[in-house]
Amino acid sequence: MEEQDGFQITRGAVQVQDGFVPVIEAQGQGPDGRTLRGAVTVTEYGVFDDQEEAINAGWTIRVRSIEVQGDGLSIRIDG
């Protein structure tokens, strides 16, 4: 598991109508001690027929930063 800016990062895939797209999730403690979560789906690579292919594509994406925003997290990525 990766960690950045004090948050744990996991990578996976989410099923959509035509297949799977990569998803990057983050979670960790906010300034007030609450556990915060955020996720971003990556659509620039298109939709994959195979879940493993989508997950593997997610590993090529660099997470630039993770910031607390409202009641969740803002995840900035490079494609």
Side-chain angles (χ1 to χ4, degrees):
M1 185 174 298
E2 297 173 79
E3 192 169 308
Q4 183 168 334
D5 301 326
F7 297 96
Q8 294 178 337
I9 300 170
T10 56
R11 297 170 190 259
V14 62
Q15 189 169 12
V16 295
Q17 186 172 357
D18 297 330
F20 297 90
V21 293
V23 63
I24 298 172
E25 299 175 279
Q27 76 172 27
Q29 296 289 321
D32 61 0
R34 292 182 300 144
T35 299
L36 301 176
R37 292 182 177 84
V40 60
T41 55
V42 182
T43 58
E44 73 180 62
Y45 296 120
V47 177
F48 294 86
D49 293 329
D50 182 67
Q51 184 176 12
E52 283 299 317
E53 288 179 31
I55 293 169
N56 290 338
W59 283 103
T60 66
I61 300 158
R62 182 175 159 242
V63 177
R64 294 185 59 124
S65 66
I66 303 170
E67 299 174 349
V68 175
Q69 196 168 53
D71 287 336
L73 300 176
S74 173
I75 303 169
R76 294 189 60 189
I77 61 172
D78 280 346

